[in-house]
Amino acid sequence: MHVSIVLFTSDLRLHDHPPLRAANEARHVVPLFVRDRGVTDAGFAAPNRLAFLADCLRDLDAGLRERGGRLVVRSGDVVEEVCKVATETDADEVHMAADFSAYAQRREQRLRRALEADGRRLHVHDTVTSAVAPGALAPAASDHFAVFTPYFRHWSGVRLREPMAAPRAVRVPDGVGSEEPPSRAGLSGVSAGLAAGGEAAGRTRMTSYLRDGVGPYAVRHDDMAGDATSRFSPHLHFGTLSPVELAHRARKIGGPGAEAFVRQLAWRDFHRQVLAARPAAALADYRTKHDRWRSGRTADEDVEAWKEGRTGYPVVDAAMRQLRHEGWMHNRGRLLTASFLTKTLYVDWRVGARYFLELLVDGDIANNQLNWQWMAGTGTDSRPNRVLNPVTQAKRYDPDGAYVRRWVPELADVDAPLVHEPWKLRGLDRAALGDYPDPIVDLSEGLARFKRSRGLG
């Protein structure tokens, strides 16, 4: 009896899944997910992601059962558990998606050695979790692109593989032991407004957004109150949606909105190829500016105010409160809050990146760390010393204050433009704000401090 294993990792779907398609050519296939002890030990198992993962695994199991199969769930060391299942089922090959992180690369190497020692084969498939594989594109003098524009030019010229249909049937051998797929019930620390996970939810959102939302994306994606972004990022992080399928479907629709959306998929691949080539950038400056970031009691108090959404700058506070409530934040909010922490408060980008990873359901190591470095000026930004003014940005991207009033109820009765500058209110109007704080730093003072620290005069 020919048996193959498909090892699911961050590719929790049935549609457009090359490893599953290849494994399913065997007479029997074991769809396997291992709750990786290494992820937990590394502190990456944040409550919001665990809850979303639980939804994804239950949905994947349901989809497999509709096709006559089921998901096999184990817990522990991935290599040990895969080898156990291979021995139990006499499987002769394992299929999995390629991954780019340093941890994933070490895991793949360990798994390959262990399987080959038992006379089994490991097949690793590219373009499962990215549209273009990290390392597939590189300039003549380097192993990766350090600037997005030339990367995007080459990325746009790649002929993407065609998406694959979900299998009609999956035949799992009898007697393979499995844990129950986890449930988000009973998990503590989960954001109250966390969205549901799973391929079914992702595909429903994909159909709706590509029908109604992608057309105006180019002009509306920075509209903070309009919430016009796709919100696909958690589904891309867990692989319940395929970036290849998304790119194909958006390009088929065409137009400026679809082009702008596809560009965001390319940004995701860009960050993955940077981190694949420079794994140390997850923790170290990609391009150091030799910053002497603030520390000590006052800096710690500023960080706590930033985390709690009590900086006195309404758009920053609104975005931080959205993060805490939803486990997700509007992209413009991510830029503003990161600029404020690293440049206005002059606090180490790693402090902010770590806090985002504690809460973000789409807490992707490449996108999170490298976007933080972009805003801190230590990453790939060609203008590393740019500073986003939260008042100017708020008036531009939340002109009537609807986003701020949604997340900062203390300002619910304040009209624009003063909703973005409540410290200008006087008398009873100011008293009506209750304990909403005054700004923790003057923007001009923060800018001057940053320029001094960077030697900009």
Side-chain angles (χ1 to χ4, degrees):
M1 181 175 68
H2 183 37
V3 178
S4 290
I5 296 170
V6 56
L7 175 63
F8 289 93
T9 53
S10 55
D11 50 344
L12 305 178
R13 64 180 186 268
L14 299 178
H15 291 79
D16 193 37
H17 199 289
L20 177 59
R21 168 67 69 88
N24 208 38
E25 292 177 359
R27 181 178 178 127
H28 288 85
V29 60
V30 181
L32 175 64
F33 181 84
V34 180
R35 301 172 70 182
D36 189 350
R37 186 174 62 215
V39 172
T40 303
D41 292 345
F44 201 69
N48 284 335
R49 291 193 294 279
L50 288 176
F52 200 90
L53 171 64
D55 293 348
C56 294
L57 294 177
R58 285 183 170 267
D59 182 78
L60 181 59
D61 182 56
L64 287 165
R65 289 181 184 276
E66 290 173 0
R67 292 162 173 81
R70 61 188 175 94
L71 181 65
V72 174
V73 179
R74 299 287 179 93
S75 296
D77 177 78
V78 172
V79 174
E80 292 177 5
E81 294 304 319
V82 171
C83 290
K84 285 179 185 177
V85 172
T87 299
E88 293 168 14
T89 60
D90 198 25
D92 51 15
E93 60 184 18
V94 175
H95 294 264
M96 67 180 296
D99 205 342
F100 66 95
S101 71
Y103 174 76
Q105 290 295 307
R106 292 193 299 270
R107 182 179 62 190
E108 178 188 316
Q109 293 165 5
R110 289 176 52 228
L111 180 58
R112 187 181 299 280
R113 288 195 298 267
L115 290 171
E116 289 179 349
D118 283 342
R120 311 182 203 276
R121 297 183 300 277
L122 176 65
H123 302 279
V124 179
H125 300 256
D126 284 328
T127 66
V128 182
T129 62
S130 58
V132 175
L137 301 174
S142 179
D143 57 355
H144 73 290
F145 280 95
V147 179
F148 175 73
T149 301
Y151 175 80
F152 182 57
R153 186 167 57 249
H154 285 79
W155 187 95
S156 298
V158 173
R159 183 181 178 87
L160 303 182
R161 62 171 180 78
E162 291 298 316
M164 301 175 178
R168 294 184 178 180
V170 177
R171 300 169 297 279
V172 179
D174 295 332
V176 186
S178 174
E179 303 169 8
E180 277 290 313
S183 168
R184 70 160 64 187
L187 279 173
S188 60
V190 177
S191 293
L194 183 70
E199 184 179 16
R203 294 191 72 80
T204 296
R205 182 161 188 87
M206 176 175 67
T207 299
S208 173
Y209 187 78
L210 293 181
R211 182 185 64 235
D212 303 321
V214 78
Y217 177 79
V219 295
R220 294 195 61 212
H221 70 278
D222 274 324
D223 177 2
M224 299 183 76
D227 197 16
T229 61
S230 70
R231 288 185 178 249
F232 289 157
S233 55
H235 293 284
L236 285 166
H237 175 66
F238 286 93
T240 55
L241 289 178
S242 158
V244 171
E245 183 180 5
L246 282 171
H248 272 287
R249 292 184 63 166
R251 283 171 169 169
K252 186 175 181 179
I253 294 168
E259 292 171 6
F261 171 76
V262 170
R263 185 181 177 89
Q264 295 305 308
L265 294 175
W267 265 110
R268 182 173 178 270
D269 282 359
F270 171 74
H271 284 148
R272 293 163 80 86
Q273 60 94 40
V274 170
L275 195 61
R278 298 291 183 271
L283 294 174
D285 290 344
Y286 179 78
R287 290 172 175 155
T288 185
K289 296 295 183 289
H290 304 290
D291 289 291
R292 294 186 176 182
W293 303 106
R294 291 173 62 224
S295 60
R297 182 179 59 82
T298 303
D300 291 344
E301 290 173 353
D302 287 347
V303 170
E304 287 307 306
W306 176 81
K307 290 179 178 180
E308 294 170 5
R310 292 186 57 79
T311 68
Y313 289 97
V315 73
V316 172
D317 296 340
M320 295 303 294
R321 295 183 193 192
Q322 181 184 27
L323 172 63
R324 192 162 62 244
H325 180 76
E326 294 189 354
W328 184 89
M329 187 194 292
H330 191 285
N331 184 61
R332 177 55 52 175
R334 300 187 196 208
L335 299 177
L336 290 174
T337 55
S339 175
F340 187 82
L341 183 72
T342 59
K343 290 175 174 173
T344 304
L345 297 180
Y346 198 57
V347 170
D348 194 333
W349 64 267
R350 281 157 283 237
V351 174
R354 188 181 310 117
Y355 184 67
F356 270 32
L357 287 178
E358 290 174 9
L359 289 174
L360 281 175
V361 64
D362 60 15
D364 182 278
I365 195 71
N367 279 343
N368 187 66
Q369 308 302 86
L370 292 176
N371 273 321
W372 268 97
Q373 291 221 47
W374 174 276
M375 289 313 306
T378 64
T380 61
D381 189 1
S382 59
R383 293 170 54 199
N385 297 316
R386 77 176 83 199
V387 178
L388 300 183
N389 182 305
V391 176
T392 303
Q393 292 272 310
K395 291 179 178 179
R396 180 180 303 165
Y397 298 118
D398 186 31
D400 66 0
Y403 178 78
V404 162
R405 282 189 292 273
R406 181 182 306 160
W407 294 109
V408 187
E410 301 98 310
L411 306 178
D413 296 325
V414 182
D415 294 329
L418 285 178
V419 71
H420 299 305
E421 300 174 282
W423 56 88
K424 292 184 176 181
L425 294 169
R426 295 291 180 265
L428 293 176
D429 290 333
R430 179 65 183 88
L433 303 186
D435 67 347
Y436 186 73
D438 287 328
I440 61 173
V441 63
D442 181 88
L443 293 180
S444 61
E445 293 176 2
L447 179 60
R449 175 175 56 197
F450 173 70
K451 288 183 173 180
R452 287 195 306 272
S453 300
R454 284 276 171 98
L456 303 173

